[in-house]
Amino acid sequence: MKKLLYLLVALPMIMLSACHDDDDLPNVDLDIQFSGVTVKDDVIYVVQGEPITIESVSLINNTDKKGTLGVVSYYWDYIRVGSQVVAPYTATFETTGDPVGNHILSLDCGIYVEDYPVCFGAAQFKIKIVESEDDLPDDGQQNPTITNYAKISSDTK
């Protein structure tokens, strides 16, 4: 009975020692280069039937340590559609069979920075498929690079 009591007392201490301080995450961002799209007000527009291409995903490392990305996985409307294991992590998404309207394109990846815990980055983009080029915003940015759009977290909790 005493052994059980000691285990119950020790359990909270073990649990607390396993937690990790989120302030210890590396200061990094993701740089994502698109082509075949127009962006306005944080919405990515594409004409139905035209592909959306991510030309590259790269790490902007704001620390003085070496860092790199791991596998980048892509999701279309929350369904995993593929992964890339080699830089520049290019991916193309065909829109021919997708209905006109709103969609979500997301990606996640491992982030490895020297002297920091293994972290994960995620980015999510609002996609609007339109019927024709006439429906694209006139003052949108063509083939943008989107930076500082990542949520970084650690799985050490």
Side-chain angles (χ1 to χ4, degrees), residues 8-57:
L8 289 175
V9 170
L11 187 62
M13 288 183 240
I14 294 170
M15 296 281 287
L16 289 175
S17 68
C19 289
H20 181 71
D21 184 9
D22 276 341
D23 293 339
D24 207 16
L25 297 177
N27 180 10
V28 297
D29 298 304
L30 293 178
D31 192 48
I32 303 158
Q33 172 68 49
F34 285 87
S35 67
V37 300
T38 301
V39 175
K40 182 177 180 188
D41 298 329
D42 295 328
V43 177
I44 297 174
Y45 293 84
V46 64
V47 175
Q48 187 178 36
E50 296 295 321
I52 299 170
T53 301
I54 294 180
E55 297 291 341
S56 67
V57 178

Side-chain angles (χ1 to χ4, degrees), residues 6 18 34 97 100 113 119 143 145:
Y6 290 130
F34 285 87
V100 170
V113 178
C119 297
N143 305 321
T145 297

Side-chain angles (χ1 to χ4, degrees), residues 124-143:
Q124 189 172 53
F125 306 96
K126 298 174 190 172
I127 306 290
K128 183 160 190 145
I129 297 177
V130 296
E131 286 187 43
S132 71
E133 286 189 25
D134 296 335
D135 299 322
L136 293 173
D138 293 332
D139 56 345
Q141 181 185 6
Q142 300 291 319
N143 305 321

Side-chain angles (χ1 to χ4, degrees), residues 46 52 74-81 93-95 98-99 102-106 125 127-129:
V46 64
I52 299 170
Y74 296 99
Y75 302 83
W76 181 258
D77 288 336
Y78 304 106
I79 298 171
R80 186 173 179 202
V81 293
F93 306 91
E94 297 296 333
T95 61
D98 292 306
N102 297 322
H103 299 273
I104 299 289
L105 173 62
S106 346
F125 306 96
I127 306 290
K128 183 160 190 145
I129 297 177

Side-chain angles (χ1 to χ4, degrees), residues 101-118:
N102 297 322
H103 299 273
I104 299 289
L105 173 62
S106 346
L107 63 87
D108 63 31
C109 58
I111 297 176
Y112 308 99
V113 178
E114 190 176 78
D115 296 334
Y116 286 94
V118 173

